[in-house]
Amino acid sequence: MLSVLAAILMQSAPATAPMRPEDTEQWTPEPPVVTPLAAVTVPPPSDAVVLFDGKDLAQWASEDGSPARWTVKDGVLTVAKGTGDIQTRRRFGSYQLHLEYRIPANITGSGQARGNSGLFLGATGRYMGYELQILDSYRNKTYVNGQAGSIYKQFPPLANPTRPPGEWQSYDVVWTAPTFASDGSLRSPAYVTAFLNGVLVQDHEALRGETLYIGKPAYHAHGALPIKLQDHGDPSEPISFRNIWVRAIGN
């Protein structure tokens, strides 16, 4: 009798709806808009690995290991739309990173389709990793855990210190890599401290796992990882980068 009743209840229970992208969007509260620090170019320390010095893409590759196909001109690295993401040839554990980026002055679109890219602090595979969002968030409304300075789909930034399109902006990041036990279980989560244009936007935040567009983040055991820059593929004008360097911390 119990088995028959259970079968009837299972048949009558509504099926669980699959998650949608909207299910992990947070729209309020909006981070306060603050004036960024004066723009300055920060030269790499003596012990830094220079990932881009304005000359070439020797430190970068496409995700399949082939040469990176983005454009280098006049000391600036620019996304070549449709060529795919690029990632460092080296792998890193915990580190300090500096990166400068520019949203084109003639950017079009709105929301997530306006200057979208991403700095993957550790890339674990195609469209996977731990993403610090790059987006035009100057007077451009979107979900707050998807605007510039957010850990995408996890944590909104503490403030919005973005500059208008056409101006150079900077990230300074301290990344503490997650650690895993021998059985693959999580021993300690990843932590991120990030400054956008000199303003603290993530304060030693413990990440919930790898970035997911749909669904909830989760961890999967891994070792040292490459750093990745995203070719998002949206219709807006391509984003440019310069002065990228990294310092290993503790490993």
Side-chain angles (χ1 to χ4, degrees):
M1 177 64 72
L2 288 177
S3 60
V4 173
L5 179 59
I8 294 173
L9 291 174
M10 290 178 63
Q11 291 176 1
S12 61
T16 302
M19 290 196 72
R20 306 167 302 158
E22 297 83 356
D23 293 334
T24 50
E25 294 175 3
Q26 178 184 338
W27 287 85
T28 60
E30 293 188 21
V33 175
V34 302
T35 303
L37 272 63
V40 295
T41 295
V42 180
S46 59
D47 63 347
V49 175
V50 177
L51 297 177
F52 181 69
D53 62 1
K55 297 177 182 178
D56 56 47
L57 283 169
Q59 295 287 340
W60 299 84
S62 298
E63 287 185 309
D64 62 2
S66 63
R69 291 180 289 169
W70 290 13
T71 303
V72 177
K73 183 178 180 181
D74 299 328
V76 174
L77 168 63
T78 302
V79 178
K81 291 197 294 185
T83 62
D85 303 343
I86 63 172
Q87 61 187 37
T88 57
R89 294 187 178 276
R90 302 190 193 192
R91 292 171 174 261
F92 300 92
S94 300
Y95 59 75
Q96 172 191 348
L97 172 76
H98 176 85
L99 171 148
E100 297 169 22
Y101 71 92
R102 182 179 63 195
I103 306 292
N106 59 340
I107 194 71
T108 59
S110 62
Q112 292 290 302
R114 186 177 175 88
N116 197 324
S117 183
L119 166 59
F120 282 79
L121 304 171
T124 59
R126 185 67 171 161
Y127 305 120
M128 293 290 290
Y130 306 89
E131 183 182 6
L132 182 60
Q133 177 72 312
I134 295 175
L135 188 78
D136 177 25
S137 291
Y138 184 80
R139 300 176 181 176
N140 177 38
K141 188 175 179 63
T142 188
Y143 43 94
V144 296
N145 60 348
Q147 70 178 74
S150 67
I151 302 298
Y152 187 73
K153 287 292 186 83
Q154 293 191 44
F155 301 105
L158 299 173
N160 180 355
T162 53
R163 297 191 175 97
E167 297 186 18
W168 283 101
Q169 322 215 33
S170 65
Y171 268 132
D172 287 281
V173 182
V174 176
W175 163 256
T176 302
T179 61
F180 300 89
S182 58
D183 64 357
S185 61
L186 182 68
R187 177 177 292 154
S188 62
Y191 290 92
V192 174
T193 296
F195 292 80
L196 174 55
N197 295 329
V199 176
L200 183 67
V201 290
Q202 299 291 338
D203 186 9
H204 196 62
E205 198 68 71
L207 272 60
R208 297 168 182 155
E210 299 172 41
T211 296
L212 287 179
Y213 178 54
I214 300 175
K216 296 181 179 180
Y219 280 100
H220 302 87
H222 58 74
L225 296 171
I227 298 165
K228 181 169 70 175
L229 298 177
Q230 187 182 41
D231 171 17
H232 190 269
D234 65 41
S236 56
E237 293 300 311
I239 295 170
S240 297
F241 300 88
R242 70 180 185 186
N243 190 26
I244 310 173
W245 51 262
V246 63
R247 295 180 63 250
I249 299 176
N251 48 27

